[in-house]
């Protein structure tokens, strides 16, 4: 096999990163959603260039910043976003919390669709909101989970119960679904018609795999644009999560004024020097690197799926349509969740995300991060096979 730039093993232990330094020694970390690939040189070079000036004073957002971002969004997603619709936010989970703090009152009801990224629930509860659950409906083929669908009848019941906001994961985390346009159109019809705001987390938007397309929620109709706040970022795609380079897109002028005024008043719309430099470098120079990275990740997904089918058929992978995260169905192992996680950690020496953190619908599942060199996955799968053979 030809050597790839993504095969490099980069020592991260001791670098102060969550992925390696917040877990016990000796485990292979395949959990938190950043990749083990080298951050691309055009981004590191942008940082080095800025450091040629030895003073790190207050930055400002240059006029070209949001023009560069809007051009990227238009080219990649076909969504004509105006620069004035955009605002920097200090992280997407923080952005969700800031929307709640600026537009909602404590005790109001927020709808989530589990199994889903667990901070949706956590940030809502900690901000004093009530969380309503609108679980996704699993879709099976030949006994294998292949997708999820939205339960629109259940969503309507949540709205009847007083749901004011829906937090949408698009592409869906942990399953990796790129929601079809027709699904998002129907979602917009229901939510806009009932006055429900949609907060769309689209942090994995730039990582749709070959044969799939990411559709921004706000792009599907006037109804969707009028009742939504979209969050995007280059952080997952270009492996710069530690820099914090997220942004909000709000087409509705009234909604935009309310949210952006709050952000401005509290100086929450002011990025750091490196947020500015890394974002512009990513969106100016990153198209080719992004394609190579996705090709490698798709190869990793194919490897894991094939290995499980041949060697550990009781664990079934749901193939993601986006991102570097895989949703593994381990229910046929016959273990409760505590025993499943103990098997992975104590017997296999692996650290994955416990599926139950994404909601009770994730019980029996784990989330696997394949954004790493192939050799790491080869070792991890062999460990998993040996551990499962002893059940």
């Amino acid at each position: 096999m030809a050597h790839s730039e993504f095969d490099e093993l980069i020592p991260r232990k001791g670098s102060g990163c969550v992925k390696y330094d917040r877990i016990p020694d000796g485990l292979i970390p395949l959990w938190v959603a950043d990749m083990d690939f080298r951050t691309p040189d055009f981004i590191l070079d942008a940082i080095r260039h800025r450091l040629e000036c030895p003073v790190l004073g207050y930055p400002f957002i240059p006029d070209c910043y949001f023009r560069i971002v809007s051009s990227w969004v238009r080219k990649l997603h076909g969504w004509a976003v105006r620069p004035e619709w955009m605002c920097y936010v200090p992280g997407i989970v923080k952005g969700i919390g800031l929307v709640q703090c600026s537009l909602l009152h404590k005790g109001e009801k927020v709808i989530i669709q589990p199994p889903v990224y667990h901070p949706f629930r956590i940030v809502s509860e900690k901000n004093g909101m009530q969380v309503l659950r609108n679980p996704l409906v699993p879709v099976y083929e030949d006994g294998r989970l292949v997708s999820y669908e939205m339960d629109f009848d259940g969503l309507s019941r949540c709205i009847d119960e007083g749901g004011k906001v829906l937090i949408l994961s698009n592409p869906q985390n942990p399953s990796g679904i790129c929601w079809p346009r027709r699904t998002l159109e129907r979602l917009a019809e229901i939510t806009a018609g009932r006055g429900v705001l949609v907060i769309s987390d689209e942090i994995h938007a730039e990582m749709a795999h070959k044969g799939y397309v990411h559709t921004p929620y706000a792009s599907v109709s006037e109804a969707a644009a009028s009742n939504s706040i979209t969050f995007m970022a280059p952080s997952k795609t270009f492996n710069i999560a530690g820099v914090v380079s997220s942004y909000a897109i709000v087409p509705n002028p009234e909604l935009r004024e309310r949210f952006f005024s709050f952000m401005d008043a509290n100086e929450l719309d002011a990025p750091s020097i490196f947020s500015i430099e890394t974002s512009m470098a990513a969106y100016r120079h990153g198209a080719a690197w992004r394609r190579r990275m996705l090709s490698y990740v798709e190869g990793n997904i194919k490897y894991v799926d094939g290995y499980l089918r041949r060697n550990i058929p009781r664990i079934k992978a749901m193939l993601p349509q986006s991102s570097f995260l895989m949703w593994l169905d381990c229910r046929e192992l016959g273990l409760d969740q505590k025993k499943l996680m103990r098997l992975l950690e104590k017997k296999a020496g692996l650290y994955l995300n416990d599926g139950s953190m994404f909601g009770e619908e994730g019980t029996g599942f784990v989330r696997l991060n394949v954004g790493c060199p192939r050799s790491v996955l080869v070792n991890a799968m062999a460990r998993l096979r040996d551990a499962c053979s002893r059940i």
Side-chain angles (χ1 to χ4, degrees):
M1 180 184 295
H3 176 75
S4 166
E5 63 196 290
F6 304 106
D7 288 325
E8 180 184 10
L9 294 170
I10 300 173
R12 296 184 63 189
K13 188 73 174 175
S15 66
C17 68
V18 170
K19 188 173 184 179
Y20 282 77
D21 294 334
R22 296 294 296 274
I23 66 172
D25 291 339
L27 302 180
I28 299 178
L30 301 167
W31 64 303
V32 69
D34 66 16
M35 299 186 291
D36 289 332
F37 306 142
R38 179 181 295 274
T39 299
D41 286 341
F42 50 83
I43 291 178
L44 298 177
D45 288 343
I47 294 173
R48 294 186 188 105
H49 178 73
R50 176 58 185 83
L51 290 174
E52 290 177 3
C53 175
V55 179
L56 301 179
Y58 290 114
F60 65 93
I61 298 177
D63 291 340
C64 64
Y65 181 81
F66 285 123
R67 290 201 301 270
I68 292 169
V69 177
S70 63
S71 176
W72 173 268
V73 172
R74 183 181 296 108
K75 289 177 181 176
L76 198 61
H77 307 303
W79 185 22
V81 173
R82 299 176 185 173
E84 60 266 28
W85 294 357
M86 299 177 137
C87 171
Y88 171 83
V89 292
I92 289 181
V93 174
K94 297 180 183 72
I96 293 170
L98 292 168
V99 170
Q100 294 177 349
C101 290
S102 61
L103 303 182
L104 301 180
H105 300 289
K106 286 188 183 297
E108 290 196 295
K109 296 178 179 180
V110 174
I111 304 166
I112 63 172
Q113 297 177 308
V116 74
Y117 186 49
H118 54 291
F120 289 2
R121 173 186 57 80
I122 294 170
V123 71
S124 300
E125 291 177 344
K126 288 187 174 180
N127 277 321
M129 307 300 162
Q130 296 185 55
V131 175
L132 301 178
R133 299 169 64 259
N134 171 219
L136 299 175
V137 179
V139 177
Y140 293 91
E141 290 182 5
D142 299 323
R144 178 182 292 268
L145 178 67
V146 295
S147 189
Y148 288 97
E149 294 178 348
M150 292 189 191
D151 176 6
F152 291 121
D153 290 337
L155 174 59
S156 294
R157 289 192 293 272
C158 287
I159 297 173
D160 290 341
E161 292 177 34
K164 297 292 186 182
V165 171
L166 168 71
I167 307 177
L168 172 66
S169 184
N170 180 37
Q172 211 276 339
N173 179 2
S175 69
I177 294 170
C178 291
W179 289 116
R181 174 175 288 272
R182 64 182 181 277
T183 296
L184 299 178
E185 289 172 344
R186 179 61 179 144
L187 181 65
E189 290 172 4
I190 295 171
T191 54
R194 303 284 296 277
V196 174
L197 174 67
V198 175
I199 303 172
S200 189
D201 174 358
E202 304 194 8
I203 196 168
H204 296 283
E206 299 166 3
M207 301 192 71
H209 297 162
K210 186 175 181 180
Y212 296 97
V213 175
H214 170 73
T215 303
Y217 170 74
S219 73
V220 302
S221 66
E222 287 297 326
S226 70
N227 79 316
S228 63
I229 294 175
T230 299
F231 291 117
M232 291 182 170
S235 55
K236 299 298 183 188
T237 309
F238 296 99
N239 212 24
I240 51 174
V243 176
V244 187
S245 50
S246 312
Y247 51 91
I249 305 174
V250 191
N252 182 311
E254 181 180 348
L255 193 58
R256 185 167 66 244
E257 171 62 23
R258 291 173 64 195
F259 181 51
F260 286 12
S261 293
F262 174 85
M263 297 293 288
D264 176 64
N266 295 283
E267 295 190 359
L268 294 164
D269 57 353
S272 72
I273 292 172
F274 301 119
S275 297
I276 295 169
E277 297 295 338
T278 55
S279 294
M280 292 196 298
Y283 288 161
R284 277 172 165 161
H285 309 298
W289 187 91
R290 168 185 166 273
R291 287 192 294 270
R292 296 196 303 273
M293 178 274 295
L294 282 175
S295 178
Y296 190 89
V297 166
E298 288 163 8
N300 279 355
I301 291 167
K302 183 177 180 180
Y303 170 77
V304 169
D305 180 53
Y307 190 95
L308 293 176
R309 288 175 184 270
R310 292 189 304 272
N311 299 285
I312 324 173
R314 288 183 291 172
I315 298 179
K316 295 177 170 58
M318 178 179 166
L319 299 183
Q321 301 168 359
S322 180
S323 193
F324 47 85
L325 303 172
M326 295 185 72
W327 192 226
L328 304 185
D329 184 350
C330 305
R331 289 174 292 179
E332 288 186 15
L333 293 176
L335 304 175
D336 65 30
Q337 198 69 16
K338 287 185 178 180
K339 289 181 179 179
L340 172 61
M341 299 313 295
R342 191 179 305 124
L343 170 78
L344 293 171
E345 184 174 341
K346 302 300 184 181
K347 303 297 184 181
L350 308 178
Y351 203 89
L352 282 70
N353 287 110
D354 182 336
S356 65
M357 72 169 53
F358 301 96
E360 63 185 55
E361 296 77 9
T363 301
F365 291 78
V366 293
R367 193 186 72 172
L368 169 70
N369 180 344
V370 299
C372 60
R374 187 80 41 81
S375 60
V376 174
L377 290 177
V378 170
N379 185 12
M381 290 298 103
R383 290 189 183 192
L384 183 59
R385 178 201 60 206
D386 291 346
C388 290
S389 70
R390 297 194 292 271
I391 296 176

